[in-house]
Amino acid sequence: VTSDRPLLANHLSQLRAVRAAEPCRLRLAQSGGTIVWVRLESLVTNDELGQTVIHSVVIDIADHQATEQQLAEKEARLRTVLATIPDMVWLKNPQGVYLGCNKMFERFFGAPASEIIGRTDYDFVDKELADFFRENDYKAITAGKPNMNEETLVFAADGAQATVETIKTPAYAVDGSLIGVLGVARDITERKRMEAALQVSEAKFRQLIQILPLPLTIVNKNGAQEYINDRFIKVFGYTYEDIPNLTDWWQLAYPDADYRQWAMQSWTSAVEKAANTGKDIEPIEYNITCKDQRVRPVIVSGVTIGDVILSIFTDISERRRHERVMKASYERRRKNELMNELIQTESLSQ
């Protein structure tokens, strides 16, 4: 191949000048035009007349060259992945000396990989933090499996602070010998912020439903009671220990077997209808037996929220009492009116 002729010329020049030369890789064109990779190995001797003779051996290395090319391509892809991955990645030997790292890790130490490789944590961070890093290295090595921890780091490149989830894994060679510790650190700052916000939101939600004047319960898809507010306990008397799941609730709240069967069927149907239509659970009136054995008329409704059901209990005992009082008052008034009509009729007949 024309472009490789300078390589051959240099190889021959070295042989003539110092009678030795390193093997030379060249591309040769075969008679059919196919290009092949070869390694040229040469030896210089003198013939009987004392003239210099160059002996060369041409070795076909096409397969070897293809393998090297594939390895080079794989290494290039790996370097590209490590360079672009958003996580910090690094490798240390068992003594804590860095063997390699990616771009994100360079940002943490504020130095290029060329300055990090061959050095330790103690060259870049304070002793306390470096001791912490080494402790987790030892944990992974001792356990012989990944070790995970969370830590808050400050990036030397720009002063940014981040909470990261670090996984350190012992790395072994093919023969089983320990190469060192491979570390991967993922920025979980936003996830932690969202978790904290969710916890605050849940706390506010629980505080809100705790002070509501209506009895409330939250039951998961397995029928377990996840939440009972104070108003529920005050009205019905039952606590978590009494009704840890729906089965116990049905037994205690509806002791009559026939009525319990109707209550279970009507509530299950209402929940299924709400799930199918995407609407709230329609209100149903039940007579619920309290822990002190008093029976309260209650309207039960609710909403499905993901895999849980929020049930709302409206005690209508007072309403029913007023209705009875009103009905009794109406009946007395009606009786009085009838009596007056009778008296007037008798007076007129006389």
Side-chain angles (χ1 to χ4, degrees):
V1 177
T2 303
S3 60
D4 287 353
R5 287 179 182 175
L7 297 175
L8 177 59
N10 183 61
H11 180 75
L12 295 175
S13 296
Q14 287 183 1
L15 290 171
R16 294 191 185 98
V18 297
R19 302 177 66 85
E22 292 293 328
C24 177
R25 290 188 182 188
L26 301 168
R27 287 172 294 176
L28 296 181
Q30 295 179 327
S31 58
T34 303
I35 304 298
V36 296
W37 279 94
V38 299
R39 184 173 72 248
L40 182 65
E41 296 183 0
S42 302
L43 175 67
V44 178
T45 63
N46 292 325
D47 61 12
E48 295 126 350
L49 301 176
Q51 295 180 337
T52 300
V53 179
I54 298 176
H55 304 272
S56 296
V57 177
V58 179
I59 303 171
D60 186 349
I61 60 169
D63 292 340
H64 178 72
Q65 188 68 25
T67 301
E68 286 191 346
Q69 181 66 27
Q70 291 175 357
L71 288 174
E73 292 174 355
K74 289 181 179 179
E75 289 178 358
R77 286 196 293 269
L78 179 59
R79 285 194 296 270
T80 301
V81 171
L82 289 177
T84 57
I85 193 171
D87 299 334
M88 294 191 295
V89 182
W90 66 93
L91 178 65
K92 302 179 190 176
N93 70 13
Q95 291 72 43
V97 177
Y98 282 95
L99 302 177
C101 65
N102 69 344
K103 289 291 184 182
M104 281 299 294
F105 192 82
E106 290 179 353
R107 178 170 163 251
F108 171 48
F109 273 176
S114 59
E115 295 180 11
I116 296 174
I117 295 173
R119 302 171 73 180
T120 71
D121 293 315
Y122 295 94
D123 295 312
F124 297 96
V125 297
D126 60 69
K127 184 178 183 303
E128 182 179 358
L129 185 56
D131 287 342
F132 176 75
F133 289 162
R134 288 300 290 150
E135 179 184 353
N136 285 296
D137 290 344
Y138 290 134
K139 285 181 180 179
I141 293 173
T142 304
K145 60 182 181 180
N147 176 62
M148 184 173 68
N149 65 279
E150 288 185 10
E151 52 202 348
T152 300
L153 304 176
V154 177
F155 288 79
D158 53 17
Q161 180 173 297
T163 301
V164 299
E165 181 180 75
T166 301
I167 301 176
K168 293 185 175 180
T169 307
Y172 300 96
V174 176
D175 61 3
S177 61
L178 180 67
I179 296 174
V181 178
L182 175 67
V184 179
R186 171 161 295 177
D187 188 342
I188 59 171
T189 306
E190 183 61 19
R191 190 183 82 188
K192 298 295 287 186
R193 186 193 67 77
M194 293 179 65
E195 288 176 353
L198 180 60
Q199 290 176 355
V200 172
S201 178
E202 288 180 349
K204 288 182 178 179
F205 171 74
R206 289 185 178 275
Q207 184 180 18
L208 175 63
I209 63 176
Q210 187 66 28
I211 62 176
L212 283 175
L214 292 173
L216 301 170
T217 65
I218 297 177
V219 179
N220 64 27
K221 63 179 180 180
N222 298 318
Q225 297 279 7
E226 290 195 355
Y227 183 77
I228 298 174
N229 73 344
D230 288 347
R231 188 65 179 175
F232 180 94
I233 298 173
K234 183 176 181 180
V235 171
F236 301 111
Y238 299 118
T239 63
Y240 283 105
E241 290 73 19
D242 300 318
I243 50 171
N245 52 61
L246 276 179
T247 301
D248 295 300
W249 166 251
W250 295 124
Q251 293 288 337
L252 294 174
Y254 310 104
D256 180 81
D258 292 336
Y259 189 77
R260 179 169 62 248
Q261 186 65 26
W262 170 81
M264 292 171 61
Q265 289 178 349
S266 61
W267 180 250
T268 301
S269 297
V271 171
E272 290 177 351
K273 182 179 180 181
N276 293 332
T277 61
K279 297 181 179 180
D280 295 345
I281 301 172
E282 295 180 352
I284 305 175
E285 183 176 337
Y286 297 102
N287 291 323
I288 295 178
T289 300
C290 302
K291 190 171 184 177
D292 61 6
Q293 298 306 303
R294 286 188 298 173
V295 177
R296 289 180 180 271
V298 177
I299 294 177
V300 185
S301 59
V303 293
T304 55
I305 308 173
D307 292 332
V308 301
I309 298 173
L310 170 63
S311 300
I312 304 169
F313 300 78
T314 304
D315 184 2
I316 57 173
S317 300
E318 193 64 19
R319 183 195 305 177
R320 289 290 180 261
R321 190 184 69 81
H322 282 299
E323 288 176 353
R324 290 194 297 270
V325 170
M326 293 296 293
K327 183 177 180 181
S329 176
Y330 172 79
E331 289 177 351
R332 284 195 301 270
R333 187 172 68 250
R334 182 59 181 160
K335 288 179 181 179
N336 290 335
E337 290 176 351
L338 289 173
M339 289 296 296
N340 290 333
E341 289 179 3
L342 288 173
I343 293 172
Q344 289 177 2
T345 301
E346 289 180 2
S347 298
L348 291 173
S349 63
Q350 294 176 356

